C-alpha cells in the first residue's frame, strides 16, 4: 500500500495565472486608486496642473492601462512618478510615464541606496516569482529604474495649489518606504506598508520596526488610504481596519518565529509551526502561500543574526523554496 504524498507547492506565484478585474475609482477630490483584486496597486493624484503616479506597475505594457484610465478623466501631464520602495514589480513600468512627458522619478535616498545595492538581483528575482505580472517583460528597457530626485524624511510638492507630501515614517516593508500624503484631504497612498485582504510580503522587512511605522501612519488620521494590495480603504473605520490587520499579521509572524528561534529550533521547524499557526487566520489572503516562506525566513534572520535583510537572488529564492516547501 503506497503512502500518499503532499503535492509540492508551485514556486511563489507561478501558479497564479488568472486575470484580475481592474477598478479605477476616485477616493477624494484629487486622489484615485487603481486596484486589481490583490494585484499591486497604483495611486494617482490629479493636481491643478499635473498628475502624480505612485508605483508604476511591473511593466510599461501594464502601465499603459493605468495611463489609459488616467486619460479618461484628465489630459493634464503626468509630471511625477513616485517609487514608494524599490521592488521591481512596483517600478519597472516607469518608462511608460516618461514617454508621456514625465519629468521626475522621486524616491527616498534609502530607496536609491537599495537600488544600488540590490536592484539587479531584485529584478531577476521578481521576474521569476511573478510570471503573470511580468508578461511583456521585453517592453521593460534594459537596466533599472533610477530616481531623478531623492529626499530624506520629507519632501513637499505643489501641484498648483494642491499640497502633496512624501514622507518617510519609519522602516517596515523595506528601509526606504515612502508614503504619499494629501494633508488637505486626509488621503494616503501607503505602498506596501499597508495591505488589505492580501498578505504582506516581508522578505526585505524590519519586523520590529514595522508596527511602530503603522502607528505613525495612524497618527496622521487618514480618512482614505490606497494600500499596496487590496481594495481602496474609504473612511476612517476601513483605514483603521487596514492598519490593524497589517500590524496583526506582522506581529503574529514575528511572535511565532522569535519564540521558535529563541527555543533553538531550526528554520524548517519554525516555518512549519508558523505556517500552521497563521494559516487559519490569514490563509484566505491573496499570495499567502507565496509570501510565507520569504516572510518567515526574513523574520528568522532578524531574530538570529541578520538585523538587515539579506539580498534575495533568483538562485537564493529557489534554494529557500526547495528547503521549506520541497
Amino acid at each position: 500500500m503506497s503512502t500518499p504524498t503532499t503535492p509540492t507547492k508551485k514556486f511563489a506565484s507561478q501558479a497564479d495565472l488568472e486575470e484580475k478585474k481592474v477598478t479605477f475609482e476616485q477616493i477624494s477630490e484629487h486622489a484615485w486608486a487603481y486596484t486589481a483584486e490583490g494585484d499591486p496597486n497604483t495611486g494617482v493624484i490629479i493636481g491643478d496642473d499635473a498628475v502624480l503616479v505612485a508605483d508604476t506597475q511591473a511593466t510599461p505594457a501594464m502601465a499603459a492601462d493605468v495611463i489609459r484610465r488616467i486619460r479618461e478623466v484628465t489630459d493634464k501631464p503626468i509630471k511625477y512618478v513616485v517609487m514608494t520602495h524599490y521592488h521591481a514589480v512596483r517600478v519597472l513600468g516607469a518608462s511608460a510615464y516618461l514617454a508621456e512627458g514625465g519629468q521626475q522619478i522621486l524616491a527616498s535616498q534609502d530607496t536609491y541606496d537599495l537600488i544600488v545595492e540590490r536592484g539587479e538581483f531584485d529584478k531577476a528575482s521578481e521576474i521569476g516569482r511573478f510570471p503573470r505580472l511580468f508578461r511583456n517583460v521585453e517592453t521593460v528597457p534594459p537596466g533599472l529604474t533610477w530616481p531623478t530626485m531623492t529626499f530624506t524624511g520629507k519632501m513637499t510638492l505643489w501641484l498648483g495649489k494642491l499640497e502633496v507630501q512624501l514622507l518617510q515614517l519609519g522602516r517596515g516593508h523595506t528601509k526606504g518606504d515612502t508614503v504619499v500624503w494629501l494633508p488637505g484631504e486626509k488621503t494616503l497612498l501607503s505602498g506596501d506598508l499597508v495591505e488589505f485582504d492580501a498578505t504582506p510580503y516581508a522578505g526585505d522587512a524590519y519586523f520590529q520596526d514595522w508596527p511602530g511605522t503603522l502607528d505613525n501612519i495612524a497618527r496622521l488620521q487618514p480618512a482614505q488610504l490606497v494600500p499596496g494590495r487590496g481594495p481602496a480603504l474609504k473612511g476612517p473605520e476601513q483605514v483603521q481596519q487596514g492598519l490593524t490587520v497589517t500590524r496583526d499579521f506582522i506581529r503574529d509572524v514575528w511572535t511565532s518565529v522569535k519564540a521558535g528561534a529563541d527555543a533553538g529550533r531550526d528554520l524548517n521547524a519554525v516555518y512549519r509551526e508558523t505556517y500552521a499557526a497563521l494559516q487559519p487566520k490569514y490563509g484566505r489572503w491573496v499570495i499567502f502561500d507565496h509570501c510565507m516562506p520569504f516572510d518567515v525566513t526574513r523574520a528568522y534572520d532578524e531574530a538570529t543574526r541578520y538585523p538587515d535583510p539579506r539580498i534575495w537572488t533568483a538562485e537564493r529564492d529557489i534554494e529557500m523554496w526547495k528547503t521549506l516547501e520541497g
Side-chain angles (χ1 to χ4, degrees):
M1 181 175 178
S2 61
T3 302
T5 57
T6 302
T8 301
K9 292 178 184 173
K10 280 239 182 181
F11 171 66
S13 287
Q14 289 190 351
D16 176 11
L17 302 175
E18 184 180 339
E19 289 300 314
K20 303 296 180 74
K21 179 185 176 183
V22 170
T23 299
F24 187 60
E25 59 182 330
Q26 188 171 6
I27 61 168
S28 68
E29 184 179 355
H30 294 93
W32 297 71
Y34 179 100
T35 65
E37 298 182 317
D39 274 0
N41 293 337
T42 294
V44 177
I45 307 298
I46 301 176
D48 300 326
D49 57 0
V51 178
L52 177 151
V53 172
D55 293 332
T56 72
Q57 297 290 307
T59 65
M62 297 184 73
D65 187 59
V66 180
I67 293 169
R68 178 179 67 81
R69 291 166 192 269
I70 292 172
R71 289 292 166 244
E72 290 175 354
V73 295
T74 185
D75 59 1
K76 294 171 184 174
I78 301 173
K79 188 173 180 181
Y80 299 107
V81 172
V82 175
M83 301 167 65
T84 65
H85 59 287
Y86 77 99
H87 286 152
V89 75
R90 298 293 182 178
V91 305
L92 292 183
S95 62
Y97 304 94
L98 300 180
E100 283 280 307
Q103 298 174 24
Q104 301 289 351
I105 300 176
L106 310 173
S108 68
Q109 182 61 41
D110 288 324
T111 290
Y112 187 98
D113 294 343
L114 286 168
I115 296 170
V116 171
E117 178 189 47
R118 57 186 68 198
E120 287 287 1
F121 298 112
D122 178 74
K123 179 179 179 182
S125 169
E126 292 201 46
I127 289 171
R129 297 181 198 179
F130 294 106
R132 179 173 57 81
L133 297 181
F134 283 101
R135 272 180 333 211
N136 307 116
V137 70
E138 68 279 359
T139 65
V140 177
L144 300 172
T145 301
W146 289 99
T148 60
M149 187 178 297
T150 63
F151 72 99
T152 299
K154 179 179 179 180
M155 173 187 282
T156 300
L157 305 171
W158 293 92
L159 307 187
K161 294 181 179 178
L162 179 67
E163 181 181 4
V164 182
Q165 296 177 2
L166 310 185
L167 304 173
Q168 282 186 280
L169 298 175
R171 302 185 303 187
H173 179 68
T174 72
K175 78 170 184 178
D177 295 325
T178 295
V179 302
V180 180
W181 175 235
L182 275 63
E185 297 175 20
K186 292 288 186 181
T187 298
L188 188 105
L189 317 181
S190 72
D192 281 325
L193 278 170
V194 182
E195 313 286 25
F196 194 70
D197 281 344
T199 310
Y201 172 75
D204 299 301
Y206 290 82
F207 274 88
Q208 294 170 92
D209 291 5
W210 198 334
T213 301
L214 294 173
D215 293 343
N216 291 337
I217 290 176
R219 289 187 189 98
L220 294 172
Q221 298 183 316
Q224 292 80 221
L225 188 149
V226 181
R229 288 175 180 263
L233 305 176
K234 292 169 279 190
E237 186 175 334
Q238 279 194 9
V239 171
Q240 184 58 50
Q241 187 181 1
L243 293 170
T244 297
V245 296
T246 303
R247 187 188 295 107
D248 286 350
F249 176 84
I250 295 302
R251 283 180 171 160
D252 287 350
V253 173
W254 175 250
T255 298
S256 176
V257 172
K258 184 70 162 61
D262 287 349
R265 290 192 282 279
D266 66 15
L267 174 60
N268 286 61
V270 170
Y271 175 66
R272 290 192 298 271
E273 291 167 1
T274 302
Y275 185 97
L278 271 67
Q279 200 279 335
K281 184 175 180 181
Y282 304 109
R284 67 175 181 80
W285 284 1
V286 173
I287 64 170
F288 178 79
D289 282 343
H290 173 146
C291 289
M292 283 299 288
F294 295 96
D295 292 4
V296 172
T297 299
R298 170 56 197 146
Y300 192 84
D301 275 3
E302 187 173 335
T304 53
R305 57 196 180 104
Y306 296 102
D308 294 299
R310 291 187 285 156
I311 295 172
W312 289 100
T313 65
E315 295 75 21
R316 184 184 170 215
D317 287 359
I318 298 296
E319 180 184 352
M320 177 277 296
W321 194 270
K322 286 180 178 177
T323 299
L324 299 184
E325 295 284 9

